Amino acid sequence: GQQLNQSPQSMFIQEGEDVSMNCTSSSIFNTWLWYKQDPGEGPVLLIALYKAGELTSNGRLTAQFGITRKDSFLNISASIPSDVGIYFCAGQLRNQFYFGTGTSLTVIP
Amino acid sequence: GAGVSQSPSNKVTEKGKDVELRCDPISGHTALYWYRQSLGQGLEFLIYFQGNSAPDKSGLPSDRFSAERTGGSVSTLTIQRTQQEDSAVYLCASSLVGGLRYNEQFFGPGTRLTVL
């Protein structure tokens, strides 16, 4: 299957700091997605990106679809305690979605 | 509720037993996916249903795994002769397929399977 490399694996930051995480792939994707998963729940979609080079914001979140279509990043500005969770990137190719291994974010108040 | 529901939420079984996991997708969603999430790992694609088309089973790890979708709605994932390595959270997702921007998936809360 497709391999998505997501980094960093975990982050411990102070409240108010900005966060950046990224995903790279050996394959080209049509769509890049970013999800957040809280304990005991399924992932929830944060941002979807549909075109190479696209930069999209959703509140304090900003994500970009790399121009090579093989990478994407997610930035979170001015982190707050409720940002805690695991963030996953995912790439879509035809009808299948391939997920990264996740970035665990801890925000210290 | 209006979201994807899964049952049971937790399942503990003995090695060698069969288990059935159920997914109720969002009403009107024609696409349904099953994923497996092992501890500390990302989601691993298992199977995909779209309308009346033949399912994409390319992610099923072995012939012990099978899934059905009845009437284009509810889906059941069956694992026969469970092994300890089958222990994981099994997630179901559905999406409304009608164009690229409607291919967003909505996930259920998952079923945590523990094989003793």
Side-chain angles (χ1 to χ4, degrees):
Chain A
Q2 309 292 340
Q3 290 285 334
L4 265 67
N5 299 306
Q6 185 172 349
S7 64
Q9 191 172 28
S10 62
M11 302 182 73
F12 293 80
I13 62 169
Q14 295 284 341
E15 182 177 357
E17 289 184 352
D18 297 343
V19 171
S20 184
M21 60 191 78
N22 69 84
C23 267
T24 59
S25 169
S26 57
S27 301
I28 291 173
F29 289 117
N30 299 327
T31 305
W32 278 96
L33 305 158
W34 285 92
Y35 291 85
K36 178 174 184 274
Q37 185 176 29
D38 292 326
E41 299 182 11
V44 174
L45 182 68
L46 298 174
I47 291 182
L49 303 156
Y50 301 99
K51 294 191 306 184
E54 179 180 352
L55 183 70
T56 296
S57 292
N58 178 8
R60 294 178 296 105
L61 277 59
T62 301
Q64 184 158 32
F65 190 144
I67 57 172
T68 65
R69 296 170 62 191
K70 293 183 178 182
D71 62 301
S72 177
F73 72 75
L74 174 71
N75 288 341
I76 306 173
S77 62
S79 58
I80 59 178
S82 62
D83 290 335
V84 165
I86 301 178
Y87 292 78
F88 291 99
C89 62
Q92 179 194 354
L93 189 59
R94 293 184 287 278
N95 293 317
Q96 290 198 15
F97 293 79
Y98 302 90
F99 285 77
T101 51
T103 294
S104 175
L105 178 64
T106 301
V107 180
I108 304 167
Chain B
V4 177
S5 61
Q6 292 186 246
S7 61
S9 55
N10 280 285
K11 177 71 176 179
V12 180
T13 190
E14 293 179 347
K15 178 181 173 182
K17 295 283 182 68
D18 298 351
V19 296
E20 284 191 354
L21 312 179
R22 177 187 168 107
C23 172
D24 285 83
I26 294 173
S27 177
H29 280 194
T30 59
L32 187 148
Y33 303 79
W34 282 99
Y35 295 90
R36 177 168 68 177
Q37 185 176 28
S38 301
L39 187 64
Q41 298 296 311
L43 280 68
E44 175 190 3
F45 166 79
L46 296 177
I47 190 170
Y48 162 72
F49 295 90
Q50 169 52 42
N52 295 322
S53 302
D56 179 348
K57 304 179 181 180
S58 60
L60 295 178
S62 78
D63 59 8
R64 296 187 295 106
F65 287 72
S66 63
E68 291 185 344
R69 189 177 185 193
T70 54
S73 181
V74 172
S75 178
T76 302
L77 177 69
T78 301
I79 309 173
Q80 296 178 311
R81 305 180 303 281
T82 52
Q83 302 294 313
Q84 289 183 331
E85 60 263 29
D86 298 335
S87 297
V89 175
Y90 289 82
L91 290 160
C92 173
S94 70
S95 68
L96 179 62
V97 179
L100 187 60
R101 287 189 179 270
Y102 294 96
N103 220 3
E104 298 171 8
Q105 299 175 86
F106 297 85
F107 284 84
T111 293
R112 180 175 296 279
L113 175 65
T114 303
V115 182
L116 301 176

